[in-house]
Amino acid sequence: MDLFSAARRLSNPFVFQPNDRHTARAIGAHGVIGDGYSCALVAADGAIDWLCFPRFDSPSVFAALLDGEKGGFTSVQPADVGFETLQRYDPDTNVLETLFRVEGQGVFRLTDFMPWTNDPRASIHEVHRRIDCLEGQVRIKIIVDPRFEYGAHTPNLIPYEDGVLAEGPNHEKLVFVVSGNPRWINRAQGGVETELTLRSGTRRWMVFSWGAPRPEHISSYRSFEHLRATRHAWREWARQLRYDGPWRHHVLRSALVLKLMQYAPTGAMIAAPTTSLPEWMGGQRNWDYRYAWTRDSAMAVRAANLMGYLSEARDFFHFIRDVIDSGVGLRVMYAVDGTLVPDERVLSHLKGHRNSRPVRIGNAARDQMQLDTAGELLDSAYLYEQVGGVLTLRAWRNLRDIADGLCKIWEQPDDGIWEPRVGRRHNVHSKLMSWLALHRAESLSQRFSAPEAGARWNEAAKRVREDVMAKGLDASKSRFVNAYGHDDPDAALLLMPIHGFLPPDHPLSRRTVQWIEDTLHAGPYLYRYCNDDGLPPGEGAFVLCGFWLAETMALEGRLDEAQRTFMAHAEASNHLGLMAEEINPTTNELLGNFPQAFSHLGLINAAERIDLALRLRDEGSNALPRFSRATFEPGRSG
């Protein structure tokens, strides 16, 4: 049995024919690599079709994922023959390997990584690709076709002895070098290409370097040393994981993904490294997620707290401290350096992923009011303290001001977690999170000798609770609704028992959960809501909501259902364990920006929740696991 045949027993291969080269690659048919500044998507056919340099929110260098003709890409593929591939991550790392079996030729492996050291000052903004021929003799074609400014500009390509320099109109520079000094040929479609013939046991390196003045000899990039250091750094980081339950593989991969999406210089956590991947093919719900939502970031670092990664939480709180101290204040979202998110605009020259226009950059939701943000932030701060972190007095002052400000505005309508574009309402989820923010602030006040403030926040939390109980129910007073005066379900209401607003066995809680299951379900998945949001219809089931449901089932003691729901969503990941924002419940096709922090933090929270419930059951407890996320004991799952 050859190497590829042995490996394929563990996974289904991707199969490509020669005429497949220019078809759109599915969202899920990708892995991701990164360096703490940016991420690249590597397709299963060996193409890098999404990369922004030098930051997550910089203009793209490769964007064929959004337009195969204009976006630009680079690829390492067999030359003009069919082939099969398998992809995997080098264990406990974000180093990606793609194994190719070439018809009638042999097998080669492509190893992709961006140098990583866990030092935020050490990024060199490079992509390294190693090509190893493992069996037979293979003929490989390498294409390099960068397009700057989201495909708006084709760079000037300048050949050198050691490689090629791509120069853009705004002084952008991208160097690419391949070992062996190959002969580059201009392509009619743009860019350059070269062909290599590799025999078993031979190796080539390829490097992309951003901002370099000219190519250097391939040995100068020290790729082998960077690969060894990158593997070591990722494995050292992975060893910090405290979770040791039955889904450790899923949890660790989610942790590695979340770490890739934290901007190393500031601690900001982006929602996803892509823009405008559609929430439904051909639809218009295409948004730019390359920014740090305060809510999403807080939820992600809370998940990191549960796993034992306290430094990620510390860095995030420093980020929030710095943006508030700079006068920017607490906002819905920030650019990764803490500045304002750019105005939302449409890139009309790009066709969009599989013709799903428009392609947007910037995000107009930056100007919305989302009152739930304070709740996620203060809840994350509270859990940080619970698991051994120590908030500084400077950070506490900022949190104190946020709680005081919330006391003045919680009664106002807001836009809510789902960012509809139909105006503001009194969203029940936003009131819930306002209650949680004040409740957590009161608890934290005991650690900072602020009893008067704590008493004030406690009273305010009681008023929010009374308001929700009086106005947040349907006409029959039997279940909670999405907004005051409305009568629609909202999957975000699953957080009411999760955050302890009501016990999970309370009749209101049980009826609300059952209503959500009955009205928003799509097989094992859930939609977010079913009401008009001011946008054209069409979206997939929301992965995070399914993990919320699994948590809620565990709280209610429905452990078999919780595990089935959890596994259905964990297995909705792609072949590498990566999840998008949404999923087509009929075809299981991944939808929306990818990979998505929301989905991965949801997996971590649900795994911890179910593990604890299982442990309570195994220890003989007949009581429902009435615990909030803050009572998790990292490291004791099993």
Side-chain angles (χ1 to χ4, degrees):
M1 181 180 295
D2 64 24
L3 176 66
F4 192 91
S5 298
R8 72 184 297 173
R9 294 194 305 176
L10 303 176
S11 178
N12 293 323
F14 291 86
V15 179
F16 299 95
Q17 301 302 324
N19 58 358
D20 292 338
R21 306 303 172 83
H22 301 292
T23 59
R25 300 168 182 90
I27 292 170
H30 290 83
V32 62
I33 58 175
D35 64 354
Y37 282 70
S38 185
C39 284
L41 295 192
V42 183
D45 65 355
I48 295 178
D49 53 9
W50 180 256
L51 172 63
C52 299
F53 260 153
R55 294 189 343 187
F56 294 109
D57 54 353
S58 296
S60 65
V61 172
F62 302 125
L65 190 61
L66 297 178
D67 191 315
E69 296 178 356
K70 297 179 181 178
F73 72 101
T74 181
S75 63
V76 175
Q77 297 178 341
D80 304 322
V81 294
F83 60 94
E84 296 178 290
T85 69
L86 296 166
Q87 274 189 319
R88 69 155 201 164
Y89 281 107
D90 197 352
D92 297 350
T93 78
N94 281 311
V95 176
L96 182 65
E97 297 179 348
T98 307
L99 191 67
F100 292 75
R101 187 183 71 83
V102 189
E103 291 182 3
Q105 296 184 20
V107 176
F108 74 93
R109 180 176 57 225
L110 178 63
T111 302
D112 286 297
F113 70 99
M114 297 174 75
W116 178 280
T117 65
N118 288 327
D119 181 350
R121 300 164 297 180
S123 176
I124 53 177
H125 308 307
E126 290 180 352
V127 175
H128 293 238
R129 317 194 80 183
R130 189 176 75 177
I131 311 164
D132 292 288
C133 184
L134 305 178
E135 294 177 359
Q137 178 175 295
V138 294
R139 194 161 58 92
I140 297 170
K141 178 181 290 186
I142 300 176
I143 298 174
V144 182
D145 186 10
R147 308 290 178 94
F148 295 149
E149 292 289 333
Y150 303 104
H153 299 294
T154 300
N156 182 31
L157 299 179
I158 304 171
Y160 286 82
E161 179 181 356
D162 294 307
V164 179
L165 170 65
E167 284 190 329
N170 298 314
H171 308 291
E172 306 97 332
K173 294 181 184 295
L174 179 67
V175 161
F176 50 97
V177 179
V178 175
S179 60
N181 293 321
R183 178 172 174 267
W184 294 98
I185 301 173
N186 291 325
R187 301 173 69 239
Q189 307 95 319
V192 294
E193 65 181 39
T194 189
E195 290 193 9
L196 310 174
T197 298
L198 300 183
R199 295 175 177 81
S200 179
T202 59
R203 169 180 296 166
R204 292 290 184 97
W205 284 96
M206 182 177 187
V207 176
F208 294 94
S209 183
W210 177 261
R214 55 168 292 161
E216 307 284 350
H217 190 270
I218 189 69
S219 62
S220 301
Y221 297 93
R222 308 188 69 179
S223 294
F224 185 81
E225 289 90 338
H226 283 306
L227 176 57
R228 175 172 290 180
T230 297
R231 282 176 169 152
H232 177 76
W234 279 121
R235 287 174 179 151
E236 285 295 304
W237 187 86
R239 287 192 185 100
Q240 301 174 54
L241 180 68
R242 294 180 182 176
Y243 175 87
D244 200 26
W247 302 294
R248 189 179 189 281
H249 172 75
H250 295 288
V251 169
L252 178 56
R253 179 50 52 196
S254 290
L256 287 163
V257 172
L258 291 178
K259 183 61 176 176
L260 275 182
M261 290 192 278
Q262 187 167 35
Y263 185 63
T266 65
M269 181 82 69
I270 61 169
T274 57
T275 180
S276 300
L277 294 182
E279 296 173 13
W280 195 259
M281 291 302 164
Q284 298 181 31
R285 296 169 183 259
N286 313 324
W287 315 108
D288 192 350
Y289 278 12
R290 299 170 300 150
Y291 308 111
W293 272 252
T294 302
R295 172 206 309 109
D296 300 33
S297 298
M299 293 171 73
V301 300
R302 181 178 58 204
N305 284 333
L306 295 176
M307 296 181 293
Y309 293 109
L310 299 189
S311 63
E312 283 66 34
R314 178 202 63 213
D315 292 345
F316 167 68
F317 288 122
H318 288 169
F319 170 73
I320 291 296
R321 174 203 68 195
D322 292 342
V323 297
I324 291 177
D325 287 354
S326 69
V328 175
L330 185 66
R331 293 181 173 270
V332 171
M333 70 183 81
Y334 302 90
V336 293
D337 61 357
T339 59
L340 296 179
V341 170
D343 292 335
E344 185 175 295
R345 61 189 179 95
V346 172
L347 301 179
S348 57
H349 64 283
L350 295 178
K351 294 185 297 185
H353 181 75
R354 296 190 178 180
N355 296 312
S356 298
R357 284 188 169 99
V359 172
R360 294 183 174 95
I361 58 173
N363 201 302
R366 69 175 191 185
D367 297 321
Q368 290 189 352
M369 173 187 271
Q370 298 177 17
L371 293 177
D372 66 295
T373 293
E376 295 292 359
L377 180 61
L378 279 151
D379 186 44
S380 179
Y382 174 76
L383 181 56
Y384 178 60
E385 285 269 336
Q386 291 294 99
V387 297
V390 178
L391 293 169
T392 65
L393 178 59
R394 184 177 169 192
W396 166 245
R397 291 192 191 104
N398 290 329
L399 295 172
R400 181 184 62 196
D401 292 345
I402 290 168
D404 281 338
L406 187 61
C407 289
K408 300 174 184 177
I409 63 174
W410 70 264
E411 294 179 281
Q412 298 180 22
D414 78 328
D415 294 287
I417 183 175
W418 303 130
E419 301 181 348
R421 302 201 174 184
V422 290
R424 295 175 178 175
R425 305 188 301 182
H426 289 279
N427 294 288
V428 173
H429 169 259
S430 297
K431 307 297 184 187
L432 160 69
M433 299 309 293
S434 295
W435 167 84
L436 183 65
L438 295 166
H439 184 57
R440 295 298 192 227
E442 189 273 333
S443 297
L444 286 168
S445 69
Q446 301 169 24
R447 303 195 177 201
F448 289 93
S449 301
E452 293 183 2
R456 183 171 67 252
W457 296 326
N458 183 50
E459 286 302 313
K462 290 179 181 178
R463 290 197 300 274
V464 178
R465 181 185 178 84
E466 292 169 357
D467 196 66
V468 172
M469 296 299 291
K471 302 175 184 176
L473 300 172
D474 67 353
S476 67
K477 304 295 182 182
S478 63
R479 61 199 182 194
F480 291 101
V481 294
N482 62 342
Y484 294 179
H486 295 262
D487 192 18
D488 295 303
D490 181 352
L493 298 175
L494 294 169
L495 291 172
M496 300 189 90
I498 288 174
H499 284 310
F501 186 84
L502 286 178
D505 58 347
H506 191 286
L508 281 175
S509 177
R510 283 192 177 274
R511 286 194 293 264
T512 302
V513 171
Q514 190 60 55
W515 184 39
I516 290 169
E517 289 186 65
D518 292 342
T519 56
L520 297 180
H521 77 96
Y525 310 117
L526 284 181
Y527 293 106
R528 296 181 290 174
Y529 49 79
C530 57
N531 52 285
D532 177 31
D533 60 4
L535 295 164
E539 69 170 2
F542 207 82
V543 175
L544 174 62
C545 296
F547 285 122
W548 285 344
L549 179 59
E551 283 196 72
T552 304
M553 288 173 168
L555 280 171
E556 293 181 349
R558 300 156 58 190
L559 290 183
D560 290 342
E561 291 177 87
Q563 291 179 84
R564 286 196 297 271
T565 299
F566 175 86
M567 286 309 303
H569 287 77
E571 292 174 355
S573 61
N574 74 352
H575 58 291
L576 294 166
L578 307 181
M579 291 183 286
E581 180 182 30
E582 299 184 2
I583 188 168
N584 184 321
T586 302
T587 65
N588 283 350
E589 180 181 18
L590 299 187
L591 299 169
N593 285 306
F594 175 87
Q596 177 76 14
F598 250 177
S599 301
H600 286 280
L601 66 89
L603 182 148
I604 293 166
N605 287 331
E608 290 274 6
R609 174 81 65 180
I610 298 169
D611 275 1
L612 182 52
L614 289 171
R615 177 156 57 88
L616 291 174
R617 185 188 68 180
D618 293 345
E619 292 174 354
S621 173
N622 294 319
L624 292 174
R626 297 180 182 178
F627 49 86
S628 69
R629 282 177 175 155
T631 63
F632 287 149
E633 298 176 70
R636 294 189 58 192
S637 299

